[in-house]
Amino acid sequence: MNPLAQLIIYTTVITGTLITMLSSHWFLAWAGLEMNMLAFIPTLIKKTNARSTEAATKYFLAQSTASMILMMAIISNNLLSGHWTTTTTNYTNQFPPLAMTIALTMKLGMAPFHFWVPEVTQGTPLTSGLLLLTWQKLAPISIMYQIHPSINTHILLILSTLSIAVGSWGGLNQTQLRKILGYSSITHTGWMMMTLTYNPTITTLYLITYITLTTTMFLTLNLNSSTTTLTLSNTWNKSTHLMPLMTSTLLSLGGLPPLTGFLPKWVTIQELTMNNNFIIPTIMITMTLLNLYFYMRLIYTISLTLLPTSNNTKMTWQFENTKPTLFIPALITISTLLLPISPLILSIP
Amino acid sequence: MPSIYINIALAFTISLVGILTYCSHLISSLLCLEGIILSLFIISTLTASNMHFSLANIIPIALLVFAACEAAVDLALLISISNTYGLDCIHNLSLLQC
């Protein structure tokens, strides 16, 4: 893409999210979401082929429907309560918070509105998929943070449990890495929204950890340009140093102690049990084990086995990698080694 | 609440159902999207007039600005799909299915 066009597009994406996060008037929050969506579409079509266009169309349809439902909720909120501020809660009428919840979960890609997430992540280049799964979550979650006292807890618990179930079972039959990361995004968004009505700072902690982990995964995959499990199995030969690092990042994404990914899950379960909610965390954990299973399958193909290939791939000439690896060491360190300082992390909010 | 709001809310709901259920063409769902925007425009104008809140009169106009941009992107994607497949049938969008 033309550098000037790229500058304008990325600036608009960032500005849209910032407008949404910093606004207290409902219309401005909606306008920021629209700016974000409209400027993100060209990012999805960076490489012009049929898959990108299809991915951009599916993304556009899902997000614009959600924007329209959100606008209806905003206007009916004004009709029923007379104000335009995002921070005053609405306990008497249930329709506007319910419609906002549905609209924002459609934007985030939670079940049962999740069908666009794996397909759109699959049809776009790896860096666009990275922005899709990390930056595009910030604006809707910031709105949900602001309206969290008026959200119906039961609806959010049902949506989150359904997201975890769908994300775990859906990713089992995949070999395309971007689809696997899309289903993992659905599962993690389900975990994030569990504690929104109980203690939204845990949602923020999970969001930051998830963004770090997903950014690490996407950037390491980008180094080898690997998008299928088959090309991922060449990592031992092409960039040997990434083999244990990708393994530990995947284990952290699956939520195993003593890695960083365990911390948000631990705090989520603690918060839910403090509110006398025991069955739902059990269901969540057992379904997330399926999530861990397909990460383990990726780890198996990266490091524990050698797939049957011709001898050319086993004896490649070792070129020096020219892709930028600017943030990867720092991100890998953060995404695997942060658990011992968790008292410090938990004392920040 | 005057019954006009129920009427416009019904228009919104029917257009929303129109987006969510489409048989063959993509353009029918885009048309229903424009129907939703029209009903939102009317209901926001009525709200701003009935509450006599003159500062909110900008909201329908700004809504139309964003709606026009969205429709333009919409149509550009539709034309891009037509360039690839020749029609805008939904059945054609099956490259990315698992």
Side-chain angles (χ1 to χ4, degrees), chain A residues 226-240:
Chain A
S226 53
T227 54
T228 59
T229 319
L230 188 62
T231 48
L232 190 66
S233 64
N234 281 331
T235 314
W236 66 273
N237 202 0
K238 283 165 78 173
S239 349
T240 318

Side-chain angles (χ1 to χ4, degrees), chain A residues 16 175 201 320 327:
Chain A
T175 53
T201 48
E320 193 179 315
F327 293 112

Side-chain angles (χ1 to χ4, degrees), chain A residues 80-121:
Chain A
L80 294 171
S81 60
H83 63 78
W84 289 100
T85 54
T86 52
T87 46
T88 52
T89 57
N90 191 356
Y91 293 117
T92 49
N93 299 303
Q94 282 302 310
F95 171 70
L98 182 65
M100 282 173 195
T101 311
I102 289 179
L104 293 168
T105 50
M106 270 175 98
K107 280 204 176 271
L108 285 172
M110 287 171 73
F113 315 113
H114 66 280
F115 292 98
W116 58 273
V117 180
E119 300 182 0
V120 175
T121 322

Side-chain angles (χ1 to χ4, degrees), chain A residues 36 59 94 97 109 126 150 210 212 215 239 269 273 281 318-319 346:
Chain A
N36 191 17
Y59 180 75
Q94 282 302 310
L126 275 170
S150 34
Y210 167 73
T212 316
T215 312
S239 349
I269 296 171
T273 52
Q318 299 288 326
F319 288 110
L346 291 174

Side-chain angles (χ1 to χ4, degrees), chain B residues 3-21:
Chain B
S3 65
I4 184 76
Y5 291 120
I6 302 177
N7 196 359
I8 309 293
L10 190 63
F12 173 85
T13 316
I14 291 179
S15 299
L16 183 66
V17 171
I19 289 188
L20 301 175
T21 61

Side-chain angles (χ1 to χ4, degrees), chain A residues 17 74 99 104-105 138 141 173-174 245 257 276 316 328 334-335:
Chain A
T17 309
I74 289 170
L104 293 168
T105 50
L138 286 179
I141 289 185
N173 198 18
Q174 307 295 338
L245 299 176
N276 290 326
T316 56
I328 295 180
I334 293 176
S335 56

